[in-house]
Amino acid sequence: RNTKRIAKEFEKGVGKRLHRELVALDEKNTHTSYISDPWFNMYLSAREPVVLNFNPFISLTPDPREAYNNQLVRATNLIISSIKFLKSLKHNYLRPDIYYGDPKWSKSRLFKNFIRLLPTSVSWYGAYMVNAYPLDMSQYSRLFSSSRIPKLNKDELFTSECSRHLLVMRNGHFYVFDVLDSVDNILHPSEIVAHLIYIIQEADRLPEFALSYLTTEDRNIWATVRKQLLEAGNEENLKKIDSAIFCLCLDNIFPKDEDELSHCLLHGNGFNRWFDKSISLIITGDGRAGINFEHSWGDGVAVLRFVNEVYRNSTRHPALLPHSRSTETTVTTCERLEFKLNDSIQSAIHVAHEKFDERKKKMSMKRFQFRKFGKDYIVKQRMSPDAIFQLACQITFYRQFGKVVPSYEACSTAAFKHGRTETIRPTSMLTKQCSQAIVEERGKHSVAELRNMIDECSKYHRRLQMEAALGYGFDRHLFALKHLALSRGEPTPDFFLDTAYQKINHNVISTSTLQSPAVNLGGFGPVVSDGFGIGYHVSDTWVGCNATSYLDEELQEFLRCLEYSLNDIFDILEGRPL
């Protein structure tokens, strides 16, 4: 009742005024979205370390031809495919991101030729006429040659417009070499692999003080130490790191299973990463590949497009064959970056190292797969695959803890200019009722009644997805109202101080999904200390996820209950009583 009173007062009073001012601000700034600046500000003002808290990872599917999964071969092919993508983006050859309302027509050659003939100023309207909607691609400008720069209280994003060099890390050492010549030609594959061989041979031991541990630190501490690095005469080297096209991490690690690979890609050993780079391409000793990306500049949509294109090109049109030999010429263009480290900086590195090791020990991560059904089966049941997995998570938590909790699913709003994400709220009265029926009231409902409950949850979840994608979600709107009040020096409205608002933003179950044949798995850390981070994948024939938590026993029990819940759903859809 108290929350209801506060909400009504907010709606009629300060909330109404803030909304009016937000609308006016949005109409004034037609070049961007009302959420863009507040969202950047939220990320860049966060003082927690980016690793484990913000940076997600994506693991690439292995190359279908085993011989191409050699570390040097795969690294070279992925480098060249990445630079091809960069050149396509740079010269405006990259096919635009489009949502196709009628894929059969919109993806046809006839449609493409029709759009190509239209002037740029009206091509959008031509696409709209045939139910094809171009999506925002503004985030792509920070995919390459970008870094997050630590500053006191609020970080900055830096992007170089003319970078030609790649940053390569091996055993905690930094190397740079140009992968593009003066006229934008890509270095020959044999020359690239020669550089990589040289780096692997030269960086055969760890440095006494691995500078990259500093990127795992609290942002204000890292900002202070970076200032010391600049004052000690390391400005040019830091510029080369910040402006590099991307960071290639050649790991001397051979993961024994998927869980070990996930740990490697999410946080690794700390010394062979520069977590501030917009994207880092990681290649393990056995040729497994993945991406770790800094999250403030963009979201999964841009990174997934990059991963899809690069995977497709590197596997279908590899530039380097397994039996190829590198050139015998001496590598003279590869520079090893040497840093001047005084006692204070060395001490800071040592402390950062210890803190990072302590944090990563607390993080548990487990891979989960359920193979009784996948997307194809769920679609045949006329239900949403995404809704079924989200419902399974709700049933699982209720089974394990006997209650429902705030849950989060990310949804892209790239349909809008400078759109970022909106929240889908999978927890609802419908999922609660369904969870109670399956967990507490087994045997009290017929199979038809349970199936109907699942169907209603699926329909409602679809509606939430559509609302979020089309800008009708409530989370970002409320976030922007709060940001507007605080940015003007006003006191925080009571609505945002209420326990209900604080509770709904303590997302115990945080989920995200990226569906693609190029993606083997993905994941991220939990967003709260008592929660679960769930990167999930609904494949054609199976359902799976990568789950993280700081509560190891609870995580193992969660995944055990998740299998139980998916089995229950399967039995109900098959018409079998529980």
Side-chain angles (χ1 to χ4, degrees):
R1 286 195 297 271
N2 188 53
T3 296
K4 198 170 184 179
R5 177 185 60 78
I6 291 172
K8 286 292 182 185
E9 289 174 358
F10 180 74
E11 182 186 23
K12 294 176 181 177
V14 65
K16 187 175 184 180
R17 174 181 59 80
L18 287 171
H19 175 71
R20 186 169 59 246
E21 292 173 3
L22 183 64
V23 170
L25 194 65
D26 188 48
E27 290 174 349
K28 181 181 177 183
N29 297 308
T30 55
H31 63 286
T32 189
S33 159
Y34 78 90
I35 198 61
S36 184
D37 281 348
W39 208 242
F40 273 118
N41 186 71
M42 181 270 294
Y43 269 118
L44 296 174
S45 297
R47 299 295 84 193
E48 301 88 354
V50 293
V51 62
L52 299 181
N53 293 306
F54 297 104
N55 286 26
F57 78 88
I58 296 173
S59 169
L60 275 66
T61 304
D63 192 299
R65 295 160 299 180
E66 188 56 40
Y68 285 82
N69 289 314
N70 169 277
Q71 185 180 41
L72 288 168
V73 174
R74 193 147 202 221
T76 303
N77 284 325
L78 287 171
I79 288 169
I80 291 173
S81 295
S82 298
I83 303 303
K84 286 179 182 177
F85 185 92
L86 166 64
K87 291 183 67 176
S88 298
L89 177 65
K90 195 174 176 180
H91 299 292
N92 292 320
Y93 294 142
L94 194 65
R95 178 176 52 82
D97 286 342
I98 299 174
Y99 173 77
Y100 296 101
D102 182 9
K104 286 184 181 178
W105 155 244
S106 304
K107 288 187 175 182
S108 67
R109 187 173 295 277
L110 182 63
F111 166 76
K112 290 175 183 176
N113 290 335
F114 164 66
I115 293 297
R116 194 175 288 121
L117 293 171
L118 294 175
T120 305
S121 58
V122 296
S123 60
W124 190 93
Y125 297 100
Y128 180 79
M129 285 168 59
V130 293
N131 209 19
Y133 306 94
L135 304 176
D136 180 75
M137 296 179 69
S138 60
Q139 295 177 15
Y140 286 63
S141 64
R142 294 194 188 275
L143 254 175
F144 301 103
S145 310
S146 297
S147 282
R148 176 171 174 162
I149 310 298
K151 299 283 183 180
L152 285 175
N153 301 323
K154 183 181 176 182
D155 294 350
E156 295 176 359
L157 291 175
F158 167 81
T159 302
S160 172
E161 302 295 333
C162 52
S163 297
R164 302 184 185 282
H165 66 282
L166 188 68
L167 171 66
V168 181
M169 296 190 68
R170 173 74 174 185
N171 280 337
H173 297 282
F174 301 82
Y175 296 83
V176 293
F177 66 89
D178 285 353
V179 285
L180 290 167
D181 65 19
S182 58
V183 288
D184 255 10
N185 292 318
I186 304 174
L187 207 62
H188 193 275
S190 62
E191 292 181 87
I192 291 177
V193 76
H195 281 79
L196 301 184
I197 291 171
Y198 168 80
I199 289 168
I200 288 174
Q201 290 175 345
E202 216 223 29
D204 59 347
R205 63 192 66 186
L206 300 179
E208 185 179 1
F209 296 97
L211 187 72
S212 49
Y213 279 120
L214 294 173
T215 65
T216 72
E217 258 288 13
D218 171 273
R219 300 308 291 179
N220 277 346
I221 294 174
W222 174 205
T224 302
V225 181
R226 182 184 168 97
K227 189 177 178 184
Q228 294 176 25
L229 280 165
L230 293 170
E231 291 168 352
N234 298 292
E235 184 175 359
E236 282 305 309
N237 282 347
L238 288 172
K239 274 185 181 177
K240 288 172 183 175
I241 291 174
D242 296 336
S243 62
I245 294 173
F246 62 87
C247 179
L248 172 69
C249 305
L250 293 175
D251 278 3
N252 191 19
I253 295 174
F254 297 80
K256 69 177 187 292
D257 56 30
E258 299 288 0
D259 287 350
E260 228 174 71
L261 175 65
S262 296
H263 278 287
C264 171
L265 298 176
L266 181 63
H267 54 74
N269 43 36
F271 60 75
N272 209 47
R273 302 283 183 273
W274 194 260
F275 288 107
D276 290 354
K277 284 301 288 180
S278 55
I279 53 170
S280 294
L281 174 61
I282 302 162
I283 316 287
T284 62
D286 55 358
R288 301 297 296 270
I291 300 285
N292 183 291
F293 67 97
E294 197 281 313
H295 213 331
S296 66
W297 64 270
D299 306 304
V301 173
V303 180
L304 183 63
R305 171 72 186 277
F306 166 71
V307 166
N308 285 340
E309 299 276 352
V310 168
Y311 178 81
R312 186 185 302 114
N313 184 262
S314 65
T315 54
R316 293 183 183 177
H317 310 288
L320 184 72
L321 306 180
H323 57 268
S324 301
R325 291 286 181 266
S326 66
T327 55
E328 298 301 321
T329 54
T330 304
V331 174
T332 58
T333 56
C334 189
E335 178 189 1
R336 177 169 167 168
L337 304 183
E338 300 287 355
F339 289 86
K340 300 167 186 173
L341 308 177
N342 58 35
D343 290 345
S344 176
I345 296 170
Q346 290 177 4
S347 176
I349 292 171
H350 177 70
V351 171
H353 182 180
E354 288 187 333
K355 287 163 70 175
F356 171 74
D357 283 350
E358 189 62 31
R359 281 199 307 272
K360 75 173 185 179
K361 282 178 190 173
K362 295 177 181 177
M363 168 73 73
S364 292
M365 182 161 13
K366 300 289 181 185
R367 179 87 187 273
F368 169 86
Q369 279 192 327
F370 183 83
R371 295 192 168 274
K372 288 188 179 179
F373 65 78
K375 181 173 67 176
D376 291 346
Y377 175 83
I378 300 171
V379 169
K380 285 179 183 176
Q381 303 296 317
R382 299 179 180 274
M383 293 182 187
S384 158
D386 189 72
I388 293 300
F389 182 82
Q390 290 289 346
L391 174 60
C393 287
Q394 295 297 312
I395 298 170
T396 296
F397 199 91
Y398 195 85
R399 173 173 274 126
Q400 185 175 357
F401 297 100
K403 61 181 181 179
V404 296
V405 288
S407 305
Y408 178 103
E409 179 185 354
C411 175
S412 172
T413 50
F416 298 91
K417 191 168 188 177
H418 294 184
R420 292 293 303 250
T421 59
E422 179 54 273
T423 306
I424 299 169
R425 292 288 180 176
T427 309
S428 68
M429 291 306 296
L430 289 172
T431 61
K432 181 182 178 182
Q433 289 162 5
C434 190
S435 299
Q436 288 174 329
I438 290 174
V439 176
E440 293 180 338
E441 302 166 3
R442 296 175 79 84
K444 293 184 179 179
H445 300 273
S446 68
V447 175
E449 288 172 335
L450 292 172
R451 184 189 175 91
N452 185 60
M453 287 184 191
I454 294 172
D455 190 43
E456 288 301 311
C457 288
S458 176
K459 289 175 182 175
Y460 184 68
H461 190 79
R462 275 181 179 150
R463 183 181 130 194
L464 292 179
Q465 283 180 305
M466 188 64 70
E467 287 176 353
L470 295 178
Y472 290 104
F474 65 83
D475 278 85
R476 299 300 178 266
H477 179 207
L478 292 176
F479 177 85
L481 295 178
K482 181 182 178 182
H483 179 270
L484 183 61
L486 297 180
S487 67
R488 294 183 173 177
E490 298 177 16
T492 305
D494 290 343
F495 177 83
F496 299 111
L497 297 174
D498 185 64
T499 53
Y501 185 79
Q502 293 174 13
K503 184 175 181 180
I504 201 173
N505 285 291
H506 185 87
N507 291 297
V508 177
I509 302 175
S510 183
T511 69
S512 186
T513 183
L514 293 174
Q515 308 287 348
S516 165
V519 176
N520 177 42
L521 51 90
F524 52 93
V527 298
V528 293
S529 60
D530 58 340
F532 303 97
I534 301 174
Y536 64 98
H537 187 85
V538 184
S539 177
D540 291 342
T541 57
W542 55 270
V543 177
C545 70
N546 217 340
T548 61
S549 181
Y550 292 107
L551 309 170
D552 182 63
E553 290 182 7
E554 286 84 348
L555 177 64
Q556 293 186 52
E557 179 64 12
F558 182 89
L559 295 180
R560 190 188 71 79
C561 291
L562 180 59
E563 183 172 17
Y564 204 155
S565 301
L566 286 165
N567 271 315
D568 280 348
I569 291 172
F570 184 56
D571 285 342
I572 293 165
L573 297 183
E574 285 290 287
R576 294 190 288 265
L578 297 180

